[in-house]
Amino acid sequence: MANPIKMIKKVELTEEQKMSQSLESLLGEVAQNKDSLLETLHLLQELHNSGILEAAGSLVKAKEKVAKIAVGQMTREPVTNILNNTMAAGGALATLDPEMTKKLMGSVAKGLAKAEQGLQSNSKVGILDLIKVLNDPDINRAIGFGLNLLKGIGEGLKG
């Protein structure tokens, strides 16, 4: 029978051996990723040649000053107004029926195309023309929609 192990020897590497292993590991990684490393070096060279790398380095060095300026700009009233208006518009859009919005946007596009045609024809519209077009079902529908839209806006402005 074998003798039981009574003592375990811990092998400790010298600093030189540790560095040698690290270098071997690093060289293996470099060899495996040669193409991507070369591409990265070319990119860094281009960034250096264009001055972007230096600008980015300066930006990082001045990060506290840059952050202070950015926060100062973000808290200006016009910026906060934009953010508040965007959030309010987003909230309003969330309440709208997407199908109705899609239909309305399509109608607006079609209306703009018709308006462009009208501009191209350069025809004059008289009072009798306005009275006649009220019988057109498309125009009547659009006028009714507009009047109801205005009524809803007025009701919303009341409260």
Side-chain angles (χ1 to χ4, degrees), residues 51-110:
I52 294 173
L53 192 58
E54 183 181 355
S58 298
L59 190 63
V60 170
K61 286 178 187 172
K63 63 184 170 267
E64 287 182 27
K65 290 179 184 176
V66 170
K68 188 183 260 187
I69 291 169
V71 168
Q73 291 298 313
M74 291 300 290
T75 56
R76 289 182 24 237
E77 187 176 350
V79 176
T80 57
N81 284 346
I82 288 171
L83 292 173
N84 290 334
N85 287 333
T86 302
M87 288 175 19
L93 285 173
T95 63
L96 296 177
D97 175 26
E99 285 302 314
M100 182 59 180
T101 305
K102 182 178 176 183
K103 189 175 186 179
L104 181 61
M105 290 298 107
S107 299
V108 168
K110 198 173 232 181

Side-chain angles (χ1 to χ4, degrees), residues 10 44 71 87 115 126 139 147 157:
K10 186 177 180 185
L44 281 173
V71 168
M87 288 175 19
I139 290 179
L147 291 174
L157 291 173

Side-chain angles (χ1 to χ4, degrees), residues 6 15 77 118 158:
K6 294 180 182 176
E15 283 299 314
E77 187 176 350
K158 187 180 0 176

Side-chain angles (χ1 to χ4, degrees), residues 2-151:
N3 291 333
I5 299 174
K6 294 180 182 176
M7 188 180 224
I8 299 174
K9 290 185 181 179
K10 186 177 180 185
V11 179
E12 287 195 32
L13 300 175
T14 65
E15 283 299 314
E16 193 174 296
Q17 289 172 325
K18 288 179 187 177
M19 288 179 85
S20 176
Q21 282 182 348
S22 291
L23 279 173
E24 285 177 32
S25 172
L26 184 61
L27 283 173
E29 289 294 320
V30 167
Q32 286 179 354
N33 298 296
K34 175 189 164 203
D35 293 337
S36 60
L37 286 171
L38 286 174
E39 195 171 319
T40 302
L41 287 173
H42 290 299
L43 176 63
L44 281 173
Q45 186 61 48
E46 288 298 321
L47 290 172
H48 174 72
N49 291 344
S50 66
I52 294 173
L53 192 58
E54 183 181 355
S58 298
L59 190 63
V60 170
K61 286 178 187 172
K63 63 184 170 267
E64 287 182 27
K65 290 179 184 176
V66 170
K68 188 183 260 187
I69 291 169
V71 168
Q73 291 298 313
M74 291 300 290
T75 56
R76 289 182 24 237
E77 187 176 350
V79 176
T80 57
N81 284 346
I82 288 171
L83 292 173
N84 290 334
N85 287 333
T86 302
M87 288 175 19
L93 285 173
T95 63
L96 296 177
D97 175 26
E99 285 302 314
M100 182 59 180
T101 305
K102 182 178 176 183
K103 189 175 186 179
L104 181 61
M105 290 298 107
S107 299
V108 168
K110 198 173 232 181
L112 288 171
K114 285 278 189 187
E116 179 67 27
Q117 287 175 359
L119 281 176
Q120 298 299 325
S121 69
N122 204 18
S123 61
K124 186 174 179 175
V125 177
I127 298 223
L128 288 177
D129 295 323
L130 289 175
I131 294 170
K132 284 183 204 174
V133 295
L134 286 176
N135 290 326
D136 183 322
D138 293 330
I139 290 179
N140 198 289
R141 188 178 311 107
I143 289 173
F145 180 85
L147 291 174
N148 286 316
L149 176 68
L150 291 173
K151 179 150 180 68

